[in-house]
């Protein structure tokens, strides 16, 4: 029976990464983009020099966007954005392969199977797997860095240190908070080397740290400047996010569900599973004297604490999803806890609860990805918007629709941030800008927000409303009330 069980686990171990491609791939074949993804699509349409300049004014390193631009170009470019999501899917697949072999080497094949299983079943994973953002790439690089650090502690080679250094560079350049996670990982690795008296490895450690620091130093100055600009603007914007006693639940929405479409039962069950499997993970660590899962959860906790403190005392800068690159540690925490459970019935209940969390969240993500709102908008656009028409957006967020018709001229009402990547967009500040518009003027906004006042020159005539992913869009036609001038 034991040999048969091992054979079943081995078959699952071989096939599971490809199963993940099928599960997550269903979220990566549409053209639907929400605002942050549209930001990505607009940004990679710029030449490399402009791309780096724009990211230096926002809060993201350009590494992800540069790689994505190359991949997008190889896939044909244009307004077909499935390739942006496919890039994230490939990074998630690489993460699964890293876990498949790395966790097996660290523990055993059964623990590796649980690692991959929980990686697929975690709701936050399916949220980010098809997301055209840098989180999947960060997950791969940080997980690779962490597993290499553990492997180095067991048996050090020069090749492993070189790979560790390269993955560290990829991790720190994936996201600002994956940089913080990598820094904490380096501190833990230093403590482990000193505790185990592996002093001969300190030269490799210091060499790797110096190379990573030197590679990141130029962008660290950019991050510092970005923080200073946020501090300067914080007093003028009371709506900036500052943590309070209720903020932890907002973080949990992104850690165990999705911030914009949270499912409360999924959140509470996710917290309960983390605590329950954590109890067994602690037992396993105590029995084996291997504390790697605890180190990983410590990195997640310290990173979240750092983000919260920065947001409260320095400048609002932290959202729950920012620690996602470290979620391989959470998958390992689950896997080690599950491996410690002896009772098949208890394991079955745990898996059933994970499925109860996964299914509604996965269904929610599918509904978003296959939302028909974009097709409804395209039909309206083709029937009503002429080549001489002007499209204006109430602010930067409704401009996300501009990526589907990037050659058209757009306006943003009143203000556009310096880090806006949207092409062919000017700012409307005076009536004379509309004098040369020979066609209709369309105003794009959100249905639940107040529209700008264009009196006495124009009246707003409702033209079309539609729901698309997270948004209820409202489109108005500006009808002249009297001649300008």
């Amino acid at each position: 029976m034991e040999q048969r069980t091992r054979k079943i686990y081995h078959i699952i171990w071989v096939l599971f990464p490809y199963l993940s491609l099928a599960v997550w791939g269903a979220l990566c074949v549409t053209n639907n983009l929400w605002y942050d993804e549209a930001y990505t699509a607009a940004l990679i349409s710029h030449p490399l020099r402009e791309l780096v300049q724009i990211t230096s004014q926002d809060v993201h390193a350009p590494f992800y966007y540069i790689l994505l631009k190359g991949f997008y170009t190889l896939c044909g470019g244009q307004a077909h954005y499935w390739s942006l999501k496919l890039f994230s899917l490939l990074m998630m697949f690489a993460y699964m392969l890293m876990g498949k072999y790395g966790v097996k080497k660290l523990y055993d094949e059964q623990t590796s199977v649980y690692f991959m299983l929980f990686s697929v079943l975690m709701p936050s994973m399916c949220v980010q797997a098809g997301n055209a953002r840098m989180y999947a790439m960060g997950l791969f690089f940080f997980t690779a860095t962490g597993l290499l650090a553990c492997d180095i502690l067991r048996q050090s080679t020069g090749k492993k240190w070189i790979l560790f250094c390269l993955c560290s560079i990829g991790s720190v350049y994936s996201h600002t908070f994956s940089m913080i996670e990598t820094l904490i990982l380096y501190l833990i690795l230093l403590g482990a080397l000193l505790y185990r008296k592996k002093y001969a490895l300190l030269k490799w450690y210091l060499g790797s740290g110096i190379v990573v620091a030197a590679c990141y130093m130029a962008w660290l100055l950019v991050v510092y400047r970005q923080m200073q600009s946020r501090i300067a603007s914080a007093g003028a914007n009371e709506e900036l996010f500052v943590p309070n006693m209720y903020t932890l639940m907002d973080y949990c929405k992104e850690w165990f569900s999705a911030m914009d479409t949270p499912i409360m039962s999924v959140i509470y069950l996710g917290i309960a599973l983390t605590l329950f499997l954590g109890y067994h993970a602690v037992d396993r660590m105590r029995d084996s004297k291997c504390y790697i899962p605890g180190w990983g959860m410590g990195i997640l906790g310290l990173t979240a604490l750092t983000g919260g403190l920065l947001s409260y005392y320095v400048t609002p800068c932290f959202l729950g999803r920012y620690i996602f690159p470290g979620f391989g540690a959470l998958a390992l925490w689950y896997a080690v806890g599950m491996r410690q459970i002896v009772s098949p019935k208890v394991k079955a209940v745990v898996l059933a609860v994970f499925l109860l969390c996964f299914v509604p969240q996965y269904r929610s993500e599918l509904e978003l990805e296959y939302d028909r709102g974009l097709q409804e908008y395209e039909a309206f656009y083709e029937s009503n918007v002429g080549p001489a028409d002007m499209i204006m957006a109430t602010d930067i967020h409704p401009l996300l629709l501009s990526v589907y018709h990037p050659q058209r001229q757009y306006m943003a009402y009143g203000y556009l941030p310096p880090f806006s990547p949207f092409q062919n967009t000017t700012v409307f500040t005076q009536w004379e800008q509309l004098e040369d518009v020979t066609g209709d003027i369309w105003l794009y906004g959100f249905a639940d927000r107040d529209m700008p006042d264009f009196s006495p020159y124009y009246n707003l005539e409702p033209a079309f409303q539609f729901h698309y992913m997270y948004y209820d869009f409202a489109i108005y036609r500006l009808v002249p009330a009297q001649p300008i001038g």
Side-chain angles (χ1 to χ4, degrees):
M1 179 64 74
E2 186 176 343
Q3 185 177 359
R4 182 183 177 186
T5 300
R6 283 200 301 268
K7 189 173 294 186
I8 292 173
Y9 273 105
H10 179 70
I11 293 172
I12 297 173
W13 180 81
V14 170
L15 297 177
F16 215 97
Y18 306 99
L19 176 63
S20 72
L21 277 179
V23 173
W24 291 330
L27 303 170
C28 303
V29 293
T30 72
N31 217 30
N32 285 3
L33 302 176
W34 62 293
Y35 173 75
D36 281 10
E37 292 177 308
Y39 181 102
T40 299
L43 184 56
I44 62 171
S45 67
H46 288 264
L48 283 177
R49 183 186 181 92
E50 293 179 11
L51 186 156
V52 174
Q53 289 174 342
I54 293 171
T55 54
S56 69
Q57 295 179 73
D58 196 2
V59 294
H60 307 300
F63 180 50
Y64 163 75
Y65 299 107
I66 292 172
L67 292 182
L68 183 63
K69 181 178 178 66
F71 184 78
Y72 170 73
T73 303
L74 288 175
C75 291
Q78 301 182 346
H80 306 297
Y81 298 120
W82 54 267
S83 60
L84 308 186
K85 301 177 183 184
L86 179 60
F87 184 77
S88 292
L89 177 64
L90 293 178
M91 285 295 174
M92 294 295 288
F93 181 64
Y95 156 80
M96 289 291 282
L97 293 178
M98 180 64 63
K100 175 182 177 178
Y101 295 104
V103 175
K104 178 183 178 180
K105 189 174 184 180
L106 196 60
Y107 286 96
D108 53 38
E109 201 166 85
Q110 191 171 342
T111 305
S112 176
V113 167
Y114 288 138
F115 176 90
M116 292 186 287
L117 175 65
F118 292 132
S119 291
V120 170
L121 293 182
M122 262 195 284
S124 55
M125 290 286 190
C126 74
V127 171
Q128 298 300 340
N131 199 348
R133 302 292 288 158
M134 70 290 295
Y135 301 110
M137 187 182 79
L139 177 70
F140 165 71
F141 277 114
F142 182 75
T143 303
T145 303
L147 288 174
L148 283 167
C150 296
D151 200 19
I152 284 170
L153 282 173
R154 292 193 168 189
Q155 185 178 6
S156 173
T157 65
K159 181 180 178 180
K160 290 178 184 177
W161 277 106
I162 292 171
L163 289 173
F164 175 72
C165 181
L166 292 175
C167 289
S168 297
I169 294 171
S171 182
V172 298
Y173 267 110
S174 293
H175 193 278
T176 301
F177 280 89
S178 64
M179 178 271 290
I180 294 174
E181 288 175 330
T182 307
L183 174 61
I184 297 173
L185 172 64
Y186 264 73
L187 294 176
I188 290 175
L189 178 59
L190 175 61
L193 291 174
L194 293 175
Y195 178 77
R196 298 188 179 189
K197 299 181 180 179
K198 295 189 175 185
Y199 304 125
L201 299 182
L202 289 179
K203 62 180 181 181
W204 285 99
Y205 174 87
L206 291 174
S208 174
I210 290 170
V211 170
V212 175
C215 289
Y216 192 74
M217 186 57 64
W219 196 256
L220 184 63
L221 297 175
V222 175
V223 172
Y224 176 76
R225 189 180 70 244
Q226 292 167 346
M227 296 284 283
Q228 293 299 112
S229 65
R230 279 177 170 253
I231 293 171
S233 63
N237 190 348
E238 295 179 358
E239 296 181 358
L240 282 174
F241 175 76
V242 177
N244 56 46
M245 62 182 295
Y246 302 105
T247 300
L248 182 59
M249 181 50 70
D250 288 333
Y251 294 160
C252 288
K253 288 177 182 178
E254 296 208 88
W255 296 340
F256 302 107
S257 181
M259 183 64 190
D260 294 300
T261 54
I263 302 173
M264 297 310 297
S265 59
V266 170
I267 296 169
Y268 293 130
L269 286 173
I271 295 171
L273 286 168
T274 302
L275 295 174
F276 178 78
L277 289 176
Y279 172 83
H280 293 279
V282 170
D283 264 0
R284 180 70 182 272
M285 288 188 290
R286 185 173 55 193
D287 292 343
S288 64
K289 307 300 181 184
C290 177
Y291 301 103
I292 290 170
W295 296 347
M297 292 299 287
I299 291 172
L300 289 180
L302 288 172
T303 305
L305 178 61
T306 301
L309 292 175
L310 283 173
S311 288
Y312 190 82
Y313 288 106
V314 182
T315 182
C317 62
F318 184 64
L319 295 172
R321 61 177 172 268
Y322 290 172
I323 69 167
F324 180 80
F327 264 37
L330 183 58
L332 184 63
W333 179 258
Y334 290 150
V336 170
M338 189 71 161
R339 187 70 174 86
Q340 184 71 4
I341 297 173
V342 177
S343 170
K345 291 182 179 179
V346 175
K347 288 185 176 182
V349 170
V350 171
L351 289 176
V353 175
F354 261 102
L355 282 171
L356 284 173
C357 293
F358 169 77
V359 170
Q361 195 70 58
Y362 187 69
R363 179 182 177 182
S364 174
E365 293 304 307
L366 284 175
E367 289 174 349
L368 287 170
E369 290 297 333
Y370 292 90
D371 190 309
R372 299 291 297 176
L374 180 60
Q375 286 73 22
E376 294 173 11
Y377 164 71
E378 290 282 12
F380 168 83
Y381 181 94
E382 294 298 329
S383 301
N384 295 275
V385 181
D389 293 357
M390 169 62 71
I391 296 175
M392 186 186 300
T394 54
D395 57 69
I396 191 175
H397 288 87
L399 277 174
L400 74 89
L401 294 173
S402 69
V403 299
Y404 297 108
H405 306 98
Q407 303 307 318
R408 173 171 289 281
Q409 293 295 318
Y410 292 85
M411 279 189 177
Y413 181 85
Y415 173 74
L416 198 62
F419 53 80
S420 171
F422 296 105
Q423 298 265 34
N424 302 320
T425 304
T426 56
V427 181
F428 169 71
T429 56
Q430 53 188 348
W431 300 112
E432 288 73 15
Q433 292 174 265
L434 304 181
E435 288 181 346
D436 296 330
V437 179
T438 58
D440 288 324
I441 302 173
W442 304 93
L443 179 68
Y444 288 16
F446 295 133
D448 59 347
R449 299 183 189 176
D450 294 333
M451 294 295 125
D453 183 11
F454 290 88
S455 62
Y457 300 110
Y458 292 94
N459 296 321
L460 294 181
E461 178 184 277
F464 186 59
Q465 286 197 8
F466 65 102
H467 179 82
Y468 172 52
M469 298 192 78
Y470 304 113
Y471 316 103
D472 289 305
F473 280 95
I475 299 178
Y476 293 82
R477 181 188 287 109
L478 271 63
V479 181
Q482 64 183 61
I484 295 178

